Amino acid sequence: MKTKSIECLKFTYDEEKLKELKNKYNFIPNKEKALFIAEKMRVDFVYNTVALEGNPYTYPEVKTLIEGITVGGHKVSDTEQVLNLNHALSYLVNLVKTNTFILNKETACSIQGIVANRETLTWGKFRDGQVFIGGTEYTPPKAEELDSMFIHGINYINDIDTQILKAWILFLWGSINQFFYDGNKRTARLLANGILLTQGLPPLTILAKDQLKYNQIMTNFYNNQDAAQAIEWLYEYYYKNIHGYGFD
């Protein structure tokens, strides 16, 4: 096993295993179809993503709210979380449609600023204090290290030539480094989906019914700082969920 440790990413991965996965999963890009699916599956993406955050909105309620009709019986913060994510998805799709999606700090902060608007201490900018990830032994980097880590990490990621692998590495990198006070995984998944959509592939949606497995995968990743299991799971999970849509 040839394990590579990337300091700017803060985790390791098995290079030989990645080669196997890249050869195993081949996809046929179609940007028009991918963007159509992103719009068609909007409610599914928003519902499942907020459900992973513990939001009590049901699928029909999310659909109703996105359609512009007020849904009663919920906290304002839960309603705003749904609307913010829907807004962030629209923002991302527009960037891809206009060929202006760029992996940089400005894009990351803009998306997080929508996702976590009024949800945390600050939004739309990197955190200025320490954070922790509950249920893990891992401690994210100090706030004063974030700018340098982002620059070196994003340069490394932008040099990855396999776009699906780039999406998975980006998601894990954004999740483990916790650049923001909150909304890190949501922001990282949206950025990863920006990579996929730009490549002409449909977005990744982690379904609420798979939350237990997803949490186990991420907890192991945080504790071990080894991305091998997580990357393999993301490849398999993505393939399973887009199979039959005409991309394989």
Side-chain angles (χ1 to χ4, degrees):
M1 179 184 295
K2 187 178 180 182
T3 300
K4 188 172 185 178
S5 177
I6 310 299
E7 178 60 28
C8 63
L9 299 180
K10 289 297 182 185
F11 57 80
T12 63
Y13 59 78
D14 179 358
E15 285 189 309
E16 294 303 319
K17 184 63 177 179
L18 289 191
K19 289 180 182 178
E20 292 178 16
L21 292 169
K22 286 188 288 185
N23 292 331
K24 179 179 179 180
Y25 296 105
N26 294 300
F27 301 94
I28 303 169
N30 185 322
K31 189 172 182 180
E32 182 179 1
K33 183 188 289 186
L35 287 166
F36 172 79
I37 290 174
E39 290 289 4
K40 191 74 173 176
M41 304 299 288
R42 173 180 293 271
V43 176
D44 295 77
F45 177 80
V46 173
Y47 163 72
N48 284 288
T49 303
V50 299
L52 293 177
E53 300 297 319
N55 193 304
Y57 262 78
T58 64
Y59 185 96
E61 288 174 332
V62 168
K63 185 175 188 298
T64 301
L65 187 62
I66 287 177
E67 290 172 348
I69 301 172
T70 302
V71 176
H74 288 284
K75 294 189 296 185
V76 172
S77 59
D78 289 332
T79 299
E80 288 183 341
Q81 187 177 68
V82 173
L83 294 175
N84 287 345
L85 188 64
N86 184 52
H87 181 194
L89 179 59
S90 295
Y91 179 79
L92 175 69
V93 167
N94 183 63
L95 289 179
V96 175
K97 283 182 176 179
T98 57
N99 298 312
T100 54
F101 176 77
I102 302 172
L103 275 182
N104 57 22
K105 182 178 178 180
E106 180 182 0
T107 301
C109 287
S110 295
I111 290 176
Q112 192 273 347
I114 300 171
V115 166
N117 182 37
R118 297 198 294 181
E119 187 176 316
T120 184
L121 287 173
T122 62
W123 53 90
K125 62 181 182 179
F126 286 177
R127 58 181 167 86
D128 54 9
Q130 188 61 47
V131 295
F132 302 93
I133 302 176
T136 76
E137 301 170 359
Y138 171 74
T139 301
K142 297 176 181 178
E144 56 266 27
E145 300 172 346
L146 295 178
D147 278 312
S148 176
M149 289 187 59
F150 190 93
I151 291 170
H152 290 98
I154 210 70
N155 286 340
Y156 179 91
I157 291 167
N158 275 321
D159 284 340
I160 298 174
D161 56 3
T162 304
Q163 297 304 303
I164 294 182
L165 176 60
K166 178 188 287 188
W168 305 157
I169 294 288
L170 182 283
F171 166 62
L172 295 172
W173 171 72
S175 298
I176 200 168
N177 286 297
Q178 299 279 300
F179 290 100
F180 307 100
Y181 274 116
D182 205 354
N184 288 283
K185 290 196 296 295
R186 280 169 285 165
T187 299
R189 279 201 300 277
L190 283 163
L191 289 170
N193 280 333
I195 296 171
L196 294 172
L197 289 169
T198 298
Q199 180 65 16
L201 297 172
L204 166 72
T205 298
I206 306 294
L207 302 180
K209 70 180 182 66
D210 299 319
Q211 183 170 16
L212 176 59
K213 183 62 176 179
Y214 170 65
N215 287 343
Q216 291 171 337
I217 291 289
M218 294 304 293
T219 298
N220 287 339
F221 169 60
Y222 294 139
N223 284 335
N224 301 323
Q225 289 99 65
D226 186 334
Q229 180 192 36
I231 292 172
E232 183 172 11
W233 183 79
L234 285 164
Y235 263 114
E236 293 174 351
Y237 189 82
Y238 183 68
Y239 178 79
K240 181 182 71 174
N241 281 285
I242 72 166
H243 181 62
Y245 283 92
F247 294 91
D248 55 346

